[in-house]
């Protein structure tokens, strides 16, 4: 394990209904989920087929590790190759797509090449999330509960995006000063009044049934009334 400085972790989250609306509005790195209706967006598995360049990259590293005798130490309980060979230091089973530079004819959607970043389940299995809602629940638990167990994490501060807009950043800066013992040298950002995205009532009703509300409670969110 690498040495770490004592760290104050700030995890910012957004209201689940508005977060989904924003994700649909600007679907970055999720080409299969572009330009679809809300029901398709929420029910389509959070993945896409891998292209040839991913498998070529994996085979290249498998052969190299077999040659230098490290292959046995690079396989997890699910049989997945665990060397960080993909973009952003992901392991192969953790992300689709993996290759830094996929082939020029790969991952084309809507007339142009896309750069998918579909993260797989956080259990080493390489299995995709059944939906974006499943991924969100896992992310919440990871950021709030798992990160808090890291020995170098002094504190995990959970912040709602909406609270930052409503109150500005002074309360957060004050909390960091209190925990760190260091005085801030920046001016707090004041509160902001921003328009909120509209959300389909049928989508709200669907999410009320399928969002993991136990996970959402960890970060202070609850169901909307329809």
């Amino acid at each position: 394990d690498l040495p770490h400085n004592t760290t104050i972790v700030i995890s910012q989250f957004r209201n689940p209904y508005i977060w989904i609306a924003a994700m649909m509005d600007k679907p970055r790195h999720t080409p299969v989920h572009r330009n679809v209706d809300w029901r398709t967006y929420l029910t389509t598995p959070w993945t896409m087929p891998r292209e040839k360049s991913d498998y070529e990259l994996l085979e290249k590293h498998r052969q190299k590790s077999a040659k230098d005798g490290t292959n046995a130490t690079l396989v997890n309980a699910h049989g997945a190759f665990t060397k960080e060979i993909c973009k952003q230091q992901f392991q192969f089973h953790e992300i689709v797509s993996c290759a830094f530079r996929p082939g020029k004819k790969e991952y084309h959607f809507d007339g142009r090449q896309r750069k998918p970043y579909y993260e797989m389940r956080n259990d080493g299995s390489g299995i995709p999330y059944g939906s974006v809602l499943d991924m969100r629940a896992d992310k919440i638990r990871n950021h709030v509960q798992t990160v808090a167990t890291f020995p170098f994490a002094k504190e995990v501060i959970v912040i709602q995006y909406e609270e930052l807009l409503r109150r500005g950043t002074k309360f957060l800066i004050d909390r960091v000063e209190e925990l760190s013992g260091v005085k801030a040298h920046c001016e707090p950002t004041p509160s902001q009044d921003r328009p909120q995205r509209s959300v389909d009532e049928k989508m709200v009703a669907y999410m009320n049934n399928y969002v993991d509300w136990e996970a959402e409670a960890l970060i202070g969110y609850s169901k909307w009334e329809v």
Side-chain angles (χ1 to χ4, degrees):
D1 291 340
L2 295 175
H4 294 274
N5 293 326
T6 300
T7 304
I8 298 169
V9 181
I10 301 174
S11 291
Q12 178 181 281
F13 298 92
R14 196 170 187 178
N15 176 284
Y17 305 100
I18 303 301
W19 181 74
I20 287 294
M23 291 277 282
M24 290 181 61
D25 189 37
K26 297 181 179 180
R28 298 183 176 94
H29 306 299
T30 54
V32 170
H33 293 75
R34 292 178 61 85
N35 302 323
V36 296
D37 61 87
W38 68 262
R39 187 175 294 276
T40 301
Y41 190 89
L42 292 177
T43 58
T44 299
W46 199 246
T47 189
M48 64 176 298
R50 290 188 187 274
E51 301 273 12
K52 182 180 178 182
S53 59
D54 271 15
Y55 295 108
E56 290 177 342
L57 181 64
L58 176 63
E59 184 59 25
K60 172 185 173 182
H61 282 276
R62 279 191 183 278
Q63 291 181 7
K64 184 178 183 299
S65 64
K67 187 176 180 179
D68 62 25
T70 61
N71 198 47
T73 65
L74 293 172
V75 177
N76 69 12
H78 298 277
F81 188 71
T82 60
K83 189 174 182 181
E84 295 171 346
I85 65 173
C86 303
K87 56 195 177 187
Q88 302 295 318
Q89 296 184 304
F90 279 101
Q91 299 170 15
F92 186 85
H93 62 279
E94 294 176 329
I95 193 167
V96 176
S97 65
C98 169
F100 292 88
R101 297 181 181 87
K104 292 183 178 179
K105 295 183 179 180
E106 295 181 340
Y107 302 109
H108 277 261
F109 290 83
D110 299 332
R112 57 173 292 191
Q113 188 176 38
R114 304 291 176 177
K115 297 179 180 179
Y117 273 77
Y118 284 106
E119 291 186 47
M120 302 294 101
R121 279 167 40 176
N122 189 31
D123 59 6
S125 67
I127 298 172
Y129 289 104
S131 73
V132 64
L133 297 179
D134 295 338
M135 183 194 69
R136 176 180 168 97
D138 215 8
K139 287 280 189 184
I140 291 170
R141 289 191 170 92
N142 184 49
H143 282 267
V144 175
Q145 295 179 325
T146 305
V147 171
T149 67
F150 293 171
F152 55 86
K154 179 180 179 68
E155 184 93 5
V156 176
I157 302 174
V158 174
I159 294 293
Q160 294 182 353
Y161 170 75
E162 299 81 15
E163 184 179 16
L164 280 177
L165 292 183
R166 185 175 67 254
R167 298 177 61 185
T169 61
K170 186 179 185 305
F171 77 98
L172 176 57
I173 293 172
D174 289 346
R175 180 61 175 150
V176 173
E177 286 182 337
E178 177 188 346
L179 290 169
S180 67
V182 178
K183 186 69 177 175
H185 296 282
C186 61
E187 289 297 322
T189 300
S191 61
Q192 300 178 41
D193 185 14
R194 295 189 179 185
Q196 181 171 288
R197 285 179 168 84
S198 60
V199 181
D200 190 304
E201 285 190 2
K202 292 181 179 179
M203 188 179 92
V204 172
Y206 179 91
M207 291 181 63
N208 283 351
N209 288 328
Y210 291 99
V211 165
D212 185 333
W213 291 106
E214 290 185 3
E216 296 294 335
L218 295 173
I219 55 175
Y221 288 116
S222 57
K223 293 181 182 180
W224 281 0
E225 293 186 8
V226 180

